Amino acid sequence: MTKVNPIQPIKANIQCRCGTVKGRIDSPSALRFVCYSKDCRGYYNALNALATKAGLPEAAVLDTFGGCDFTQIYPCEISIHEGQSKLETRLIRKGSPIPRTYAKCCFTPLFSTGGTGAALLNSALLSPEDQHCEVKYRIIGRHALKGDGSVPKPSNMSWSVPFGWFFTMPKRCQPDKAQPSPVELKDIKELEIIEGFASE
């Protein structure tokens, strides 16, 4: 059997749930993983709670085990060409190093960025035809939910992070690819905390 390279190019249009925010991804090197941490799930749950409060459908998609599916690319590979005024960037708590950007029109999670030069794109923004990456890692599995029994737990789910993570991911932190960024961030310490976040 031919081994498929999990790092693949992606060229695709993206948009939020309601279509107000539209953009483009042009990455020669994308890597996909699922995170089961309480922080990532808590952020998605907070967005879904805000959507419900506004009378909108939930737009932050979790898998059966409470995982957030991310496609790791770089900030310079994300461009937003419609709906820039609807971009909102928040922290989940004071002191968090990760600014998380969502569409405030419908509370769709878009991407997170930071000082490392990497960006984590919400994989659900990509259509099945545009998503060419298989999931390479499933991390922080110790915080995964039990699921509803409809599907078995993935065999590649790691209790923490797999050994290969420490070889692959540091090489993918490239500060020179942090600009141009899809969002102009002020001092991260001045960012507001998202309403309703709870690390569960």
Side-chain angles (χ1 to χ4, degrees):
M1 180 180 293
T2 302
K3 188 175 182 180
V4 178
N5 186 348
I7 299 176
Q8 294 287 333
I10 292 178
K11 292 187 177 184
N13 294 319
I14 59 170
Q15 66 178 40
C16 65
R17 169 67 66 87
C18 71
T20 300
V21 176
K22 296 180 180 179
R24 177 77 180 168
I25 306 300
D26 190 348
S27 174
S29 173
L31 184 151
R32 185 180 174 195
F33 70 94
V34 177
C35 180
Y36 296 93
S37 73
K38 294 179 180 180
D39 279 358
C40 287
R41 184 163 62 249
Y43 169 59
Y44 272 35
N45 284 337
L47 289 178
N48 285 335
L50 288 170
T52 299
K53 183 178 179 181
L56 299 171
E58 295 183 353
V61 180
L62 295 164
D63 74 8
T64 303
F65 303 99
C68 299
D69 193 326
F70 297 117
T71 298
Q72 190 265 308
I73 52 177
Y74 299 98
C76 67
E77 297 169 348
I78 306 171
S79 59
I80 302 297
H81 50 78
E82 287 186 33
Q84 289 92 339
S85 65
K86 299 299 183 181
L87 299 181
E88 194 72 59
T89 303
R90 293 279 190 267
L91 299 178
I92 58 172
R93 66 170 65 86
K94 186 177 180 180
S96 172
I98 305 174
R100 303 169 192 251
T101 300
Y102 62 92
K104 62 183 178 181
C105 45
C106 58
F107 303 101
T108 300
L110 299 174
F111 48 80
S112 60
T113 56
T116 63
L120 300 183
L121 179 76
N122 171 14
S123 295
L125 298 175
L126 299 167
S127 70
E129 293 76 19
D130 291 327
Q131 176 60 273
H132 306 302
C133 300
E134 298 292 333
V135 174
K136 182 171 177 60
Y137 300 118
R138 295 180 183 273
I139 65 171
I140 323 296
R142 66 185 183 276
H143 291 158
L145 303 180
K146 290 183 179 180
D148 58 10
S150 62
V151 295
K153 185 170 287 189
S155 60
N156 64 339
M157 185 187 293
S158 300
W159 187 83
S160 179
V161 294
F163 193 63
W165 176 275
F166 297 102
F167 288 94
T168 302
M169 301 312 285
K171 297 176 184 177
R172 294 184 61 81
C173 294
Q174 301 184 25
D176 60 312
K177 294 185 178 181
Q179 297 295 332
S181 174
V183 288
E184 291 300 324
L185 294 179
K186 53 187 176 182
D187 186 342
I188 188 173
K189 296 178 182 178
E190 298 179 5
L191 290 174
E192 296 181 21
I193 309 301
I194 189 168
E195 178 186 339
F197 170 77
S199 180
E200 53 175 322

Coordinates of all heavy atoms in Angstrom, one line a residue, residues 7-14 22-32 71-81 110-113 117-122 125-126 133 171-183:
I7 N 0.9 15.8 4.7 CA 1.1 17.2 4.5 C 0.8 17.5 3.0 O 1.5 17.0 2.1 CB 2.5 17.7 4.8 CG1 2.7 17.5 6.3 CG2 2.7 19.2 4.5 CD1 4.1 17.8 6.8
Q8 N -0.3 18.3 2.8 CA -0.8 18.5 1.4 C -1.0 19.9 1.1 O -1.3 20.7 2.0 CB -2.1 17.7 1.2 CG -2.0 16.2 1.3 CD -1.3 15.6 0.1 OE1 -1.3 16.1 -1.0 NE2 -0.6 14.4 0.3
P9 N -1.0 20.3 -0.2 CA -1.4 21.7 -0.5 C -2.9 21.9 -0.5 O -3.6 21.0 -0.7 CB -0.8 21.9 -1.9 CG -0.8 20.5 -2.5 CD -0.5 19.6 -1.3
I10 N -3.3 23.1 -0.1 CA -4.7 23.5 -0.2 C -4.9 24.8 -0.8 O -4.2 25.8 -0.4 CB -5.3 23.5 1.3 CG1 -5.4 22.1 1.8 CG2 -6.7 24.1 1.3 CD1 -5.9 22.0 3.3
K11 N -5.7 24.9 -1.8 CA -6.2 26.1 -2.4 C -7.7 26.1 -2.4 O -8.3 25.3 -3.1 CB -5.6 26.3 -3.8 CG -4.1 26.5 -3.9 CD -3.7 26.8 -5.3 CE -2.2 27.1 -5.3 NZ -1.7 27.5 -6.7
A12 N -8.3 27.0 -1.6 CA -9.7 26.9 -1.4 C -10.3 28.2 -1.0 O -9.7 29.0 -0.3 CB -10.1 25.8 -0.4
N13 N -11.6 28.5 -1.4 CA -12.4 29.6 -0.8 C -13.0 29.1 0.5 O -13.4 27.9 0.6 CB -13.4 30.0 -1.8 CG -12.9 30.6 -3.1 OD1 -11.9 31.3 -3.0 ND2 -13.5 30.2 -4.2
I14 N -13.1 30.0 1.4 CA -13.7 29.7 2.7 C -14.8 30.8 3.0 O -14.7 31.9 2.5 CB -12.7 29.6 3.9 CG1 -12.0 30.9 4.0 CG2 -11.8 28.5 3.7 CD1 -11.1 31.0 5.3
K22 N -15.9 36.1 3.9 CA -15.4 35.2 2.9 C -13.9 35.4 2.7 O -13.4 36.6 2.9 CB -16.1 35.5 1.6 CG -17.6 35.2 1.6 CD -18.2 35.5 0.3 CE -19.7 35.2 0.3 NZ -20.4 35.5 -0.9
G23 N -13.2 34.4 2.4 CA -11.7 34.5 2.3 C -11.2 33.4 1.4 O -11.9 32.6 0.7
R24 N -9.9 33.3 1.4 CA -9.2 32.4 0.5 C -8.0 31.8 1.2 O -7.3 32.5 2.0 CB -8.7 33.1 -0.7 CG -7.8 32.3 -1.7 CD -8.7 31.4 -2.6 NE -7.9 30.6 -3.5 CZ -8.4 29.6 -4.2 NH1 -9.7 29.2 -4.1 NH2 -7.6 28.9 -5.1
I25 N -7.8 30.5 1.0 CA -6.6 29.8 1.6 C -5.7 29.4 0.4 O -6.2 28.8 -0.6 CB -7.0 28.5 2.4 CG1 -8.0 28.8 3.5 CG2 -5.8 27.8 2.9 CD1 -7.5 29.8 4.5
D26 N -4.4 29.7 0.5 CA -3.5 29.3 -0.5 C -2.2 28.8 0.2 O -1.3 29.5 0.5 CB -3.2 30.4 -1.5 CG -2.4 30.0 -2.7 OD1 -1.9 28.8 -2.7 OD2 -2.2 30.8 -3.6
S27 N -2.2 27.5 0.5 CA -1.1 26.9 1.3 C -0.5 25.7 0.5 O -1.2 24.8 0.1 CB -1.6 26.4 2.6 OG -0.6 25.7 3.3
P28 N 0.8 25.7 0.4 CA 1.5 24.6 -0.2 C 1.8 23.5 0.7 O 2.2 22.4 0.4 CB 2.8 25.2 -0.7 CG 3.1 26.3 0.2 CD 1.7 26.9 0.6
S29 N 1.5 23.7 2.0 CA 1.9 22.8 3.1 C 1.0 22.8 4.2 O 1.2 23.6 5.2 CB 3.3 23.1 3.5 OG 3.7 22.4 4.6
A30 N -0.1 22.0 4.2 CA -1.1 22.0 5.3 C -1.1 20.7 6.0 O -0.8 19.6 5.4 CB -2.5 22.3 4.7
L31 N -1.3 20.8 7.3 CA -1.3 19.6 8.2 C -2.5 19.6 9.1 O -2.8 20.6 9.7 CB 0.0 19.5 9.0 CG 0.2 18.3 9.9 CD1 1.7 18.0 10.1 CD2 -0.4 18.5 11.3
R32 N -3.2 18.5 9.1 CA -4.5 18.4 9.9 C -4.3 17.6 11.1 O -3.7 16.5 11.1 CB -5.5 17.8 8.9 CG -6.9 17.8 9.5 CD -7.8 17.2 8.4 NE -9.2 17.0 8.9 CZ -10.1 16.2 8.3 NH1 -9.8 15.6 7.2 NH2 -11.3 16.1 8.8
T71 N -6.7 22.6 10.7 CA -5.7 22.5 9.6 C -4.7 23.5 9.8 O -5.0 24.7 9.8 CB -6.4 22.7 8.2 OG1 -7.4 21.6 8.1 CG2 -5.4 22.5 7.1
Q72 N -3.4 23.1 10.1 CA -2.4 24.0 10.4 C -1.7 24.5 9.2 O -1.2 23.7 8.4 CB -1.3 23.4 11.4 CG -0.3 24.3 11.9 CD 1.0 24.4 11.1 OE1 1.6 23.4 10.8 NE2 1.4 25.6 10.7
I73 N -1.8 25.8 9.0 CA -1.1 26.5 7.9 C -0.4 27.7 8.4 O 0.1 27.6 9.6 CB -2.2 26.9 6.8 CG1 -3.3 27.7 7.3 CG2 -2.7 25.6 6.1 CD1 -4.3 28.2 6.3
Y74 N -0.3 28.8 7.7 CA 0.4 30.0 8.2 C -0.5 31.3 7.9 O -1.3 31.3 7.0 CB 1.7 30.1 7.5 CG 2.6 28.9 7.7 CD1 2.7 27.9 6.8 CD2 3.3 28.9 8.9 CE1 3.5 26.8 7.1 CE2 4.1 27.7 9.2 CZ 4.2 26.7 8.3 OH 5.0 25.6 8.6
P75 N -0.3 32.3 8.8 CA -1.1 33.5 8.6 C -1.1 34.1 7.3 O -2.1 34.6 6.7 CB -0.6 34.4 9.7 CG -0.1 33.5 10.8 CD 0.5 32.3 10.0
C76 N 0.1 34.1 6.7 CA 0.3 34.7 5.3 C -0.5 34.0 4.2 O -0.6 34.5 3.1 CB 1.8 34.9 5.0 SG 2.6 33.3 4.7
E77 N -1.0 32.8 4.6 CA -1.7 32.0 3.6 C -3.2 32.1 3.7 O -3.9 31.5 2.9 CB -1.3 30.5 3.7 CG 0.2 30.3 3.5 CD 0.7 28.9 3.9 OE1 0.0 28.2 4.6 OE2 1.8 28.6 3.5
I78 N -3.6 33.0 4.6 CA -5.1 33.3 4.8 C -5.4 34.7 4.3 O -4.7 35.6 4.8 CB -5.5 33.1 6.2 CG1 -5.1 31.7 6.8 CG2 -7.0 33.3 6.4 CD1 -5.3 31.5 8.3
S79 N -6.3 34.9 3.5 CA -6.7 36.2 3.1 C -8.2 36.4 3.2 O -9.0 35.4 2.9 CB -6.3 36.6 1.7 OG -6.9 35.7 0.7
I80 N -8.7 37.5 3.8 CA -10.1 37.7 4.0 C -10.5 38.9 3.0 O -9.9 40.0 3.1 CB -10.4 38.1 5.4 CG1 -10.0 37.0 6.4 CG2 -11.9 38.4 5.5 CD1 -10.7 35.7 6.2
H81 N -11.4 38.7 2.1 CA -11.7 39.7 1.1 C -13.1 40.2 1.2 O -13.5 41.2 0.5 CB -11.5 39.2 -0.3 CG -12.1 37.9 -0.6 ND1 -13.4 37.7 -0.9 CD2 -11.5 36.6 -0.7 CE1 -13.6 36.4 -1.2 NE2 -12.5 35.8 -1.1
L110 N -13.0 30.8 13.0 CA -12.3 30.9 11.8 C -10.8 30.3 11.9 O -10.5 29.3 11.3 CB -12.3 32.3 11.3 CG -13.6 32.9 11.0 CD1 -13.5 34.4 10.7 CD2 -14.4 32.2 9.9
F111 N -10.0 31.0 12.7 CA -8.6 30.6 12.8 C -8.1 31.2 14.1 O -8.6 32.1 14.7 CB -7.8 31.0 11.6 CG -8.0 32.5 11.3 CD1 -7.4 33.5 12.0 CD2 -8.9 32.8 10.2 CE1 -7.6 34.8 11.6 CE2 -9.1 34.2 9.9 CZ -8.4 35.2 10.6
S112 N -6.9 30.6 14.5 CA -6.2 31.2 15.6 C -4.8 31.4 15.1 O -4.3 30.7 14.3 CB -6.2 30.3 16.8 OG -5.6 29.0 16.6
T113 N -4.1 32.5 15.7 CA -2.8 32.8 15.3 C -2.0 33.1 16.6 O -2.5 33.0 17.7 CB -2.7 34.1 14.4 OG1 -3.4 35.1 15.1 CG2 -3.4 33.8 13.1
G117 N 4.1 32.1 14.4 CA 4.0 32.1 12.9 C 3.1 31.0 12.3 O 2.9 31.0 11.1
A118 N 2.5 30.2 13.2 CA 1.6 29.2 12.7 C 0.2 29.7 12.8 O -0.1 30.6 13.6 CB 1.8 27.9 13.5
A119 N -0.7 29.1 12.0 CA -2.2 29.5 12.1 C -2.9 28.2 12.1 O -2.6 27.2 11.4 CB -2.6 30.3 11.0
L120 N -4.0 28.1 13.0 CA -4.8 26.9 13.0 C -6.2 27.3 12.4 O -6.9 28.1 13.0 CB -5.0 26.4 14.5 CG -3.7 26.0 15.2 CD1 -4.0 25.5 16.6 CD2 -2.9 25.0 14.4
L121 N -6.5 26.8 11.3 CA -7.7 27.0 10.6 C -8.7 26.0 11.0 O -8.5 24.8 11.1 CB -7.5 26.9 9.1 CG -8.7 27.1 8.1 CD1 -9.0 28.6 8.0 CD2 -8.4 26.5 6.7
N122 N -10.0 26.5 11.2 CA -11.1 25.6 11.5 C -11.3 24.7 10.2 O -11.7 25.2 9.2 CB -12.3 26.4 11.8 CG -13.6 25.6 11.8 OD1 -13.6 24.4 11.9 ND2 -14.7 26.3 11.8
L125 N -14.3 24.8 7.7 CA -14.5 25.8 6.7 C -14.1 25.3 5.3 O -14.5 25.9 4.3 CB -13.5 27.0 6.9 CG -13.8 27.7 8.3 CD1 -12.7 28.8 8.5 CD2 -15.2 28.4 8.3
L126 N -13.4 24.1 5.2 CA -13.1 23.5 3.9 C -14.1 22.5 3.5 O -14.5 21.7 4.3 CB -11.7 22.9 4.0 CG -10.5 23.8 4.4 CD1 -9.3 23.0 4.8 CD2 -10.2 24.7 3.2
C133 N -6.1 16.8 3.2 CA -5.3 16.2 4.3 C -6.1 15.2 5.2 O -7.2 15.5 5.6 CB -4.8 17.3 5.2 SG -3.8 18.6 4.4
K171 N 9.1 22.4 13.6 CA 9.6 22.8 12.3 C 8.6 23.6 11.6 O 8.9 24.3 10.6 CB 10.0 21.6 11.5 CG 11.1 20.8 12.1 CD 11.4 19.5 11.3 CE 12.4 18.6 11.9 NZ 12.6 17.4 11.2
R172 N 7.3 23.5 12.0 CA 6.2 24.2 11.3 C 5.9 25.5 11.9 O 4.9 26.2 11.5 CB 5.0 23.3 11.2 CG 5.3 22.1 10.3 CD 4.0 21.2 10.1 NE 2.9 22.0 9.5 CZ 2.8 22.2 8.2 NH1 3.7 21.7 7.4 NH2 1.8 22.8 7.7
C173 N 6.6 25.9 12.9 CA 6.5 27.2 13.5 C 7.5 28.2 12.8 O 8.7 28.1 13.0 CB 6.8 27.2 15.0 SG 5.6 26.3 16.0
Q174 N 7.0 29.0 12.0 CA 7.9 29.9 11.1 C 7.4 31.3 11.2 O 6.5 31.8 10.5 CB 7.8 29.4 9.7 CG 8.3 27.9 9.5 CD 8.3 27.5 8.1 OE1 8.4 28.3 7.2 NE2 8.2 26.2 7.9
P175 N 8.0 32.1 12.1 CA 7.7 33.5 12.4 C 7.7 34.3 11.1 O 7.0 35.3 11.0 CB 8.7 33.9 13.4 CG 9.1 32.7 14.1 CD 9.1 31.6 13.1
D176 N 8.5 34.0 10.1 CA 8.6 34.8 8.9 C 7.4 34.7 8.1 O 7.2 35.5 7.2 CB 9.8 34.4 8.1 CG 9.8 32.9 7.7 OD1 9.5 32.1 8.5 OD2 10.0 32.6 6.5
K177 N 6.5 33.7 8.4 CA 5.2 33.6 7.7 C 4.0 34.1 8.5 O 2.9 33.9 8.1 CB 5.0 32.1 7.4 CG 6.0 31.5 6.4 CD 5.7 30.1 6.0 CE 6.7 29.5 5.0 NZ 6.3 28.2 4.5
A178 N 4.3 34.9 9.5 CA 3.2 35.5 10.3 C 2.6 36.7 9.6 O 1.5 37.1 10.0 CB 3.8 35.9 11.7
Q179 N 3.3 37.3 8.7 CA 2.8 38.5 8.0 C 2.9 38.2 6.5 O 3.8 37.6 6.0 CB 3.7 39.7 8.4 CG 3.6 40.1 9.8 CD 2.2 40.5 10.2 OE1 1.4 41.0 9.4 NE2 1.8 40.3 11.5
P180 N 2.0 38.8 5.7 CA 0.8 39.6 6.2 C -0.2 38.7 6.9 O -0.4 37.5 6.5 CB 0.2 40.2 4.9 CG 0.6 39.2 3.9 CD 2.0 38.7 4.2
S181 N -0.8 39.2 8.0 CA -1.8 38.4 8.7 C -3.2 38.8 8.3 O -3.4 39.9 7.9 CB -1.6 38.8 10.2 OG -2.6 38.2 11.0
P182 N -4.1 37.8 8.4 CA -5.5 38.1 8.0 C -6.2 39.1 9.0 O -7.2 39.6 8.7 CB -6.2 36.8 8.0 CG -5.3 35.9 9.0 CD -3.9 36.4 8.8
V183 N -5.6 39.3 10.2 CA -6.1 40.2 11.2 C -5.0 41.0 11.7 O -3.9 40.5 12.0 CB -6.9 39.5 12.3 CG1 -8.2 39.0 11.9 CG2 -6.0 38.4 12.9

